[in-house]
Amino acid sequence: MGVAHPTEIGVEPGVAAAVSRLTVVPQRRYGIWVGTAFALLLAFLIIRAFASNPAFAWGTAAGYLFHPSIMRGLGNTLVLTVIIMALAIVVGTVIAIMRVSPSPVLRAFAGVYVWFFRGVPALIQLIFWFNLSLLVREISLTLPFLGTLFSVRTNDFMTPFFSAVVALSLCEAGYMAEIIRAGIKSVPTGQAEAASALGMPYRMILKRITLPQAMRFVLPPTGNEAINLLKMTSLVTFIAVDDLFYTAQSIYARTFETIPLLIVVAFWYLAVVSILSVGQHFLERHFGRSDTRREPLTMRALRNLVSLRGIAR
Amino acid sequence: MSDVKSDNRARFGVPADSMVFARGVRKTYGSLEVLKGVDFDVPEGSVACIIGPSGSGKSTFLRCINHLEKLSGGILLVDSQFVGYDLQGDRLYEVKDDLLCQRRAEIGMLFQSFNLFSHMTVMENLIEAPTQVRRIPVDQAKAEAEVLLRRVGLVDKVDRYPRELSGGQQQRVAIARAMAMKPKVLLFDEPTSALDPELVGEVLQVMRDLAESGMTMVVVTHEIGFAREIGDQLVFMDGGVIVERGAPREMIANPKSPRTREFLSRVL
């Protein structure tokens, strides 16, 4: 009553003119100008050093970029990464489930696993598995009354490639187990409780309720792990698996073109990491939007894949 | 099966129409005694409401009924049968998980926080347990789910995810999900406590309809109005024991115990 509604306030012509004459002067930020100039100068110097120093031998590097050996090495690096990551996810999931199991023995086993395989440097694990024959000469299965069913010499199957797969996937599984465990823990307990109340047994709850919901928390850090693993596979050079780095090394050991070949290696790692990062960006965008109103199609597809759908049965 | 039931009835004095039968139920966590001997009867087709201050053990008691919590003492029978045990002579053998799950599936439970499966649509929530636990064909489960959703007035939300629904709608879906298992009894653990005041009515209406259709219900609630109107019996719990029980109208109008009177004066 009696209070003027905003639209009823009239602005006097003189005041309106005074307001419209005003201009805003931005604050002067001299520090930023100095910093910008400095960064530009530094960038110029670095580029000039790279371009003008003949030791970089850009032409040589370009010549080796698609060299057949390098391509084979790159292929092996990618194959290693995919196999190891796949195994690490499987083993990591099992370990994570053990870590949240009601059995204290299983929990302790999984805890020790993570403690050991995360704690020992990957390179040491790698060389250990490669030298397994020093510890175990042969692996055999002998049963009473049946005799030796099979026997195989450790050196015959612990090839460099196989030991690389075993060592790095066991190691990576330690990290994946922690990521997946955190994912499982982030699912509200009410979900499993409601499922119990509906008569679902523990394994079914894990498979159909808990793990599918843990996915959205697990996926972004898994992308990170994949990128880390790609670079970690360069360690297999030490046990002579001909990955990207090893093939480059064997070329420059012969030709002494060390720097150009390191540039080639760096280029390919960067290229693959960039592709993975783009993929990860999209995954994170999908899975980070857990609060959006509609679930993205790709997320549903992935989730359905993961939950090993049984509804259609 | 019916042998077991009649044996139990004769042995423990369970009334013929009993749905939930508790005698001397105790529950301890370490040295903390949450339930100190609860006797409780719910006849088939009736509605029992449990009220009491927080920490009085009423939610724990509810969770004992479907064996989400193991008893520390006493007996609890649903439809004249033990839920988590097989009785042989004087020994109660804990049953295997799959049998426990089968029995639990016949006892529906509703939670304060709804607990709809957040990665599933409304329809998927409703058919999950029938298809996975009971192995009912998907088409049949979907048809039954649609009937239930129509009953709670949400048949247009079948393809929505829980987060797209209001709290009241989520709780109504949760009720339909519990009903999809055709339970003998429904347990409600403060079903409206997490709801905005204007959404409480729609959930209570669904519960009222269920009660009128003859569903046996045990309701832990703060809705005194609902208890008075729908409840066949009212139980006041405090400090792990039942302090007072009776017909809701009479008990709310003239509480006998001073603790009941004090509690009611605070919530009314």
Side-chain angles (χ1 to χ4, degrees), chain A residues 292-303:
Chain A
T292 50
R293 302 265 99 183
R294 278 257 162 207
E295 187 181 33
L297 198 67
T298 39
M299 174 161 163
R300 277 205 69 185
L302 264 164
R303 169 169 67 74

Side-chain angles (χ1 to χ4, degrees), chain A residues 190-191 193-201 204 208-209 212-213 216 290 292-295 300 303 309-311 313, chain B residues 63 68 101 104-105 107 109 111 115-120 124 128-129 132-133 135 138 159-161 163-164 177 181:
Chain A
Q191 296 281 314
E193 208 162 66
S196 297
L198 284 166
M200 294 172 78
M204 190 188 281
R208 298 196 52 87
I209 308 298
Q213 292 192 57
R216 80 178 71 172
S290 56
T292 50
R293 302 265 99 183
R294 278 257 162 207
E295 187 181 33
R300 277 205 69 185
R303 169 169 67 74
R309 278 274 111 153
I311 272 196
R313 269 201 307 254
Chain B
R63 294 160 60 86
L68 273 181
C101 285
R104 226 183 230 157
I107 306 169
M109 185 161 195
F111 301 86
N115 295 346
L116 291 179
F117 303 134
S118 59
H119 62 307
M120 295 182 180
E124 287 169 339
E128 177 69 13
Q132 296 296 318
V133 178
R135 301 271 162 209
V138 174
D159 292 326
R160 294 306 176 98
Y161 283 90
R163 61 173 174 273
E164 300 174 89
R177 179 175 72 174
M181 294 301 273

